[in-house]
Amino acid sequence: MLRAPPQASLDNTVALMRAAGEPTRMRVLALLSASDLTVKDLTAILGQSQPRISRHLKLLADAALVTRSTEGAFAYYRLAEGADGRRPADDLLALLDRHDPTLTRDEARRSAIRRANAEAAADYFARNAPLWDKIGSLHAPDEAVEAVILDAFGPHGAQNLLDIGTGTGRMLRLLSPHAKRLLGVDSSASMLSVARANLDAAGIRNARLAQEDIHALSLPTDGFDAITIHQVLHFLDDPARAIAEAARTLAPGGRLIVVDFAPHTLEALRLEAHHRRLGISPAEMDGWLTAAGLHSEATKNVNGGADTLTVTVWLARDPRLVTDDIRLPEGAFA
């Protein structure tokens, strides 16, 4: 039985059904239920012109069934989520027979595009892999660092997790089993393409991606009960500003986990990998956290051996009392 979104008026419910009540638009919703897609993707899958697809998407967006986010030269569309995490389109899609020949043909074409996108992402990754592998060999093993991150994350998980500077989406893949919804943001459209391919390959459906300036996030205040910043701050001219932005989006009682290098002397990383800082000292981090209004709860160093860089994991918390359930404001994933 079709269920209206909570507290939806009769007029809004009818408008939602009218917006979706057309074959192409239902096909679009079915495709977006599996992955985010661009207008170019949808024109290739559906065999329709760009203006026609754009018109369908506008009608779906006006009815709050889909949302749009820009990444570089592309705009990605996804199913819209309400404040409670429900996607209104899911109730409509539940009525469909997914074995319908038209839908199975659409899915086959979507899979072909997914493979092409994955190949393009793999090519970007391969071109940069030598440098990343070199950096990876210099610090404590990822597995050891990630064990500390999971320990800091705690056993209760999160409702809404934000990963700032998501890169290849490694933190999203690590923490997706422990959070209801995840959002990864990055300033690089190329890195987001890699992350998107990785999430798709891992079958992760509770994570979304968006291109953002991490110094000025267009995200709601108090919107996330957990935030991660993994190996990002050493690239920044103004890490304090990034910490302040993270604190702004952190809900009362929420946790911030920061992972970065302890102070070191490898100038080659500044020259070859564009590191702006050769590690971060405890005093620097404590100053940034305090200035942002956060309370530092724990710090742990992870060292892989005498010839490797030490990685530090900081756990901080918003000291405000939790007075209600943390709910992500509507449109936060737009």
Side-chain angles (χ1 to χ4, degrees):
M1 184 181 210
L2 184 65
R3 295 176 286 114
Q7 300 180 336
S9 68
L10 175 63
D11 288 344
N12 287 342
T13 302
V14 171
L16 180 149
M17 296 176 72
R18 283 177 174 166
E22 192 276 340
T24 296
R25 292 197 283 277
M26 284 299 293
R27 292 168 69 188
V28 168
L29 293 176
L31 288 164
L32 294 181
S33 70
S35 63
D36 302 347
L37 296 168
T38 66
V39 172
K40 180 181 178 182
D41 294 334
L42 289 167
T43 58
I45 294 169
L46 299 173
Q48 298 183 20
S49 67
Q50 182 270 327
R52 187 171 181 182
I53 293 298
S54 294
R55 173 62 178 165
H56 286 306
L57 288 167
K58 182 180 185 306
L59 291 171
L60 292 171
D62 288 346
L65 286 167
V66 305
T67 59
R68 176 183 184 273
S69 64
T70 302
E71 294 178 15
F74 294 96
Y76 281 87
Y77 289 84
R78 61 177 61 99
L79 295 188
E81 293 183 355
D84 60 351
R86 296 177 72 252
R87 302 189 304 185
D90 286 338
D91 291 326
L92 296 166
L93 293 171
L95 303 175
L96 288 178
D97 175 8
R98 289 306 184 104
H99 298 292
D100 180 275
T102 298
L103 297 180
T104 57
R105 190 163 52 247
D106 288 348
E107 175 56 26
R109 292 170 179 165
R110 187 196 72 83
S111 295
I113 286 176
R114 170 187 166 183
R115 288 192 296 272
N117 291 340
E119 289 171 2
D123 178 66
Y124 173 85
F125 193 88
R127 282 185 278 112
N128 292 275
L131 177 58
W132 293 340
D133 288 344
K134 179 179 179 181
I135 294 173
S137 69
L138 295 174
H139 63 73
D142 290 327
E143 294 77 9
V145 174
E146 290 170 3
V148 175
I149 293 171
L150 288 172
D151 184 58
F153 195 69
H156 302 300
Q159 289 292 306
N160 304 301
L161 180 140
L162 173 65
D163 183 35
I164 296 177
T166 198
T168 63
R170 189 178 186 96
M171 287 298 99
L172 298 178
R173 300 196 303 278
L174 175 69
L175 297 173
S176 64
H178 307 284
K180 183 177 180 182
R181 290 182 293 172
L182 306 93
L183 173 63
V185 299
D186 203 286
S187 62
S188 169
S190 296
M191 291 305 297
L192 287 171
S193 296
V194 174
R196 193 178 303 281
N198 288 338
L199 294 177
D200 208 15
I204 293 172
R205 295 287 175 259
N206 62 334
R208 293 289 181 263
L209 299 166
Q211 188 171 26
E212 289 276 350
D213 177 356
I214 65 178
H215 291 113
L217 299 169
S218 63
L219 299 173
T221 297
D222 297 348
F224 300 87
D225 56 326
I227 297 177
T228 53
I229 306 178
H230 180 265
Q231 295 290 16
V232 173
L233 296 184
H234 58 252
F235 287 111
L236 305 182
D237 287 319
D238 192 0
R241 187 177 171 191
I243 292 289
E245 267 297 271
R248 179 187 65 79
T249 64
L250 196 61
R255 295 157 293 167
L256 170 65
I257 298 173
V258 181
V259 182
D260 220 298
F261 295 121
H264 62 85
T265 58
L266 286 183
E267 281 290 340
L269 291 181
R270 199 194 306 272
L271 300 174
E272 297 177 19
H274 308 291
H275 288 200
R276 303 292 293 174
R277 294 170 175 270
L278 298 182
I280 296 170
S281 71
E284 285 178 313
M285 181 60 71
D286 286 345
W288 298 336
L289 293 173
T290 300
L294 300 178
H295 173 68
S296 180
E297 287 202 340
T299 303
K300 185 165 185 177
N301 290 323
V302 186
N303 195 327
D307 298 324
T308 61
L309 299 180
T310 296
V311 175
T312 304
V313 180
W314 289 270
L315 172 63
R317 190 177 295 272
D318 186 300
R320 293 172 295 170
L321 294 176
V322 180
T323 58
D324 201 355
D325 290 338
I326 297 167
R327 297 186 183 277
L328 190 63
E330 188 169 357
F333 284 92

